Amino acid sequence: MQDSYDVVIVGGAVIGSAVAYFLTANPDFNGSVLVVERDPSYVKASTSLSSSSIRTQFSNPINVKISQYGSEFIRNFADVMQVAGEDRPDLNFHPGGYLFLANTAEGEQTLRENHAVQRACGADVVLWDQDELARAFPHLRTDDIRIASYGQSGEGWFNNTGLMYGFKAKARAQGAEYVTDEVVAIGRDGAQVTSVTLKSGAVIQAGTVVNASGPRAALTARMAGLDVPVEPRKRTLFVFDCAKTPEGSAQVNQGRLPLMIDPTGVFCRPEGRFFLTGCPPVEDPAADWDDFEPRYEEFEEIIWPALAERSEAFEAIKVVNQWAGHYDFNTLDHNLIVGRHPEVTNFVYANGYSGHGLQQGPAAGRAVSELIIYGQFRTLDLSEVGYERIVQNRPFLEKAVI
Ligand SMILES: Cc1cc2nc3c(=O)[nH]c(=O)nc-3n(C[C@H](O)[C@H](O)[C@H](O)COP(=O)(O)OP(=O)(O)OC[C@H]3O[C@@H](n4cnc5c(N)ncnc54)[C@H](O)[C@@H]3O)c2cc1C
């Protein structure tokens, strides 16, 4: 490790590693990159505890385009990220699609409005009435459903840690350095950050500091005397076995079942021969940094009743595993914050993904690299999700938050 780097990235999970990859992949960048990661086992990183799904069904064109790029990147990942002499990093993308269900007039209007935005962006999403839905997925109870929105391609789920480790391996092969340590202080001289201090005692001079510290983003910003409205919010996922699996009853997408979002907010998707499920929490306080205790009661009280109501097949199900992870939750508007601090311009945020950071990793990593190399976005303009809106208390509008 040197004592000075052009770019120091705080956090080396999916976002930090995506930034390191895109910087070092760009022929216009010839600087040095250090990624500091406090826990290279990643056992508590949001990246490892994620449900690892990607959708284009958002209400804001920027989010649709971010995921369209993510989807293309994930599909081509093995070819682009192959490191000589290593296994192909195939992410095992399952293009199952998302299926949103609406049972109220308001819900129907939202799905129709979102659909118009998605189609204008070229997303492969269709709206179905009750009969079409019943034909496509005969195991679902549809009599209360007014409309369904289904992603025919470009949506599904994939290997979450594969995405992170693929970025990391390629970034290292391209010259990025990783160190196992914790950033405990950030030096600042007026409108510039100047260095990071590591727990081991090392002080590293930094040309630019990137905040990629996930749910701990606010702790990192505070070290530089700055702020970001991100806090850890607990989400519990359950894996269940199903005695009478509906798999195979699907009439679309080569018989695959989708990631269904019930009108109750409960979601459910296949996970190998099992199913993965979760629900929005009833109460959602900031979690303690080290509290990863699952909210076991959510399955009995919220998830199972909703699933059993939606499909006879889900009446007899049994939990086989569960875990809790932390959303990197943006309390202003539940959306990513990607951009420089307006005054301390060599401090770059890549935070606040609030449940979308895996699928947004490729676009966010590329965007941060462009800001650092060119001083502006070159491909997808992410100015609308920059830090300025935080200062101005101007929420970015996205209706399709899960
Ligand atoms: C239950 C759950 C389900 C989810 N489902 C989806 C989904 O279906 N689709 C989707 O796209 N997204 C989903 N997400 C969100 C997604 O997983 C996250 O947004 C994304 O992983 C964030 O990546 P990150 O690299 O910013 O944060 P993390 O993965 O948390 O990584 C941050 C890293 O920074 C390190 N770090 C922190 N502070 C320091 C420091 N001071 N010094 C050194 N290192 C530090 C940490 O050790 C950690 O490894 C889900 C998240 C959860 C919890």
Side-chain angles (χ1 to χ4, degrees):
M1 188 170 67
Q2 303 158 199
D3 55 10
S4 175
Y5 288 82
D6 293 302
V7 180
V8 174
I9 301 170
V10 188
V14 76
I15 297 298
S17 295
V19 173
Y21 162 72
F22 279 100
L23 279 173
T24 52
N26 191 323
D28 292 336
F29 179 78
N30 54 14
S32 52
V33 176
L34 179 69
V35 183
V36 186
E37 172 52 57
R38 65 197 284 276
D39 177 12
S41 78
Y42 298 106
V43 283
K44 301 294 183 204
S46 302
T47 299
S48 310
L49 301 169
S50 174
S51 42
S52 320
S53 309
I54 181 164
R55 61 179 158 122
T56 52
Q57 294 186 64
F58 287 94
S59 72
N60 192 302
I62 291 190
N63 279 335
V64 178
K65 289 176 190 165
I66 286 175
S67 284
Q68 283 176 314
Y69 176 67
S71 174
E72 183 196 327
F73 197 86
I74 287 163
R75 274 198 306 266
N76 298 330
F77 198 76
D79 293 331
V80 178
M81 307 307 275
Q82 168 95 59
V83 174
E86 302 287 330
D87 291 343
R88 265 170 69 80
D90 195 330
L91 298 183
N92 212 6
F93 181 53
H94 289 268
Y98 273 61
L99 177 71
F100 283 85
L101 305 178
N103 62 358
T104 61
E106 198 192 348
E108 174 174 351
Q109 192 187 338
T110 302
L111 287 190
R112 287 191 185 282
E113 287 169 4
N114 294 356
H115 181 251
V117 172
Q118 292 150 13
R119 293 297 300 164
C121 293
D124 188 12
V125 180
V126 286
L127 290 180
W128 284 334
D129 63 19
Q130 216 178 71
D131 290 345
E132 289 166 312
L133 173 64
R135 269 200 302 278
F137 299 114
H139 68 289
L140 295 178
R141 210 198 98 214
T142 55
D143 51 2
D144 63 329
I145 298 298
R146 297 174 68 108
I147 200 164
S149 175
Y150 177 64
Q152 300 188 105
S153 65
E155 298 190 325
W157 44 97
F158 56 93
N159 179 341
N160 49 339
T161 50
L163 182 67
M164 170 181 69
Y165 285 121
F167 274 134
K168 182 172 179 175
K170 192 74 173 176
R172 291 176 77 166
Q174 293 171 168
E177 289 179 46
Y178 277 69
V179 61
T180 300
D181 211 325
E182 182 169 347
V183 172
V184 291
I186 297 179
R188 186 168 149 196
D189 184 7
Q192 295 284 288
V193 286
T194 52
S195 63
V196 299
T197 302
L198 307 185
K199 201 171 186 177
S200 60
V203 178
I204 312 285
Q205 303 304 309
T208 296
V209 173
V210 178
N211 185 352
S213 42
R216 290 175 183 259
L219 298 179
T220 302
R222 260 173 241 152
M223 292 180 205
L226 303 173
D227 206 2
V228 68
V230 172
E231 58 187 37
R233 296 279 183 95
K234 200 193 277 187
R235 294 291 180 273
T236 305
L237 298 178
F238 300 86
V239 179
F240 68 82
D241 198 358
C242 186
K244 210 166 78 181
T245 179
E247 194 111 45
S249 75
Q251 303 299 305
V252 298
N253 206 354
Q254 296 165 354
R256 277 190 287 259
L257 292 176
L259 189 158
M260 177 192 74
I261 295 108
D262 191 68
T264 55
V266 170
F267 76 86
C268 170
R269 70 158 169 83
E271 172 70 12
R273 62 168 276 255
F274 300 110
F275 289 84
L276 181 74
T277 184
C279 67
V282 177
E283 287 177 20
D284 197 19
D288 186 273
W289 307 108
D290 299 313
D291 175 8
F292 288 88
E293 183 71 5
R295 290 200 186 103
Y296 297 99
E297 69 284 1
E298 285 180 351
F299 189 81
E300 286 291 315
E301 292 172 9
I302 302 171
I303 295 172
W304 180 68
L307 290 179
E309 189 69 17
R310 185 57 53 210
S311 171
E312 213 183 282
F314 292 144
E315 281 175 9
I317 57 181
K318 185 175 88 176
V319 173
V320 296
N321 192 13
Q322 66 269 297
W323 65 87
H326 290 165
Y327 267 17
D328 41 355
F329 193 86
N330 168 353
T331 57
L332 176 69
D333 59 20
H334 320 163
N335 271 277
L336 70 167
I337 305 165
V338 171
R340 299 173 179 281
H341 189 277
E343 279 137 35
V344 185
T345 53
N346 66 339
F347 187 85
V348 184
Y349 294 98
N351 306 118
Y353 302 89
S354 311
H356 309 134
L358 265 188
Q359 63 196 284
Q360 296 185 327
R366 183 180 64 170
V368 170
S369 76
E370 290 171 352
L371 273 186
I372 293 172
I373 300 168
Y374 306 114
Q376 60 185 32
F377 298 118
R378 279 280 175 99
T379 48
L380 193 55
D381 184 358
L382 295 192
S383 316
E384 267 191 68
V385 290
Y387 191 79
E388 284 74 8
R389 79 183 195 278
I390 308 293
V391 183
Q392 295 160 4
N393 199 22
R394 187 171 37 82
F396 171 83
L397 289 182
E398 173 52 67
K399 286 182 275 181
V401 171
I402 299 178

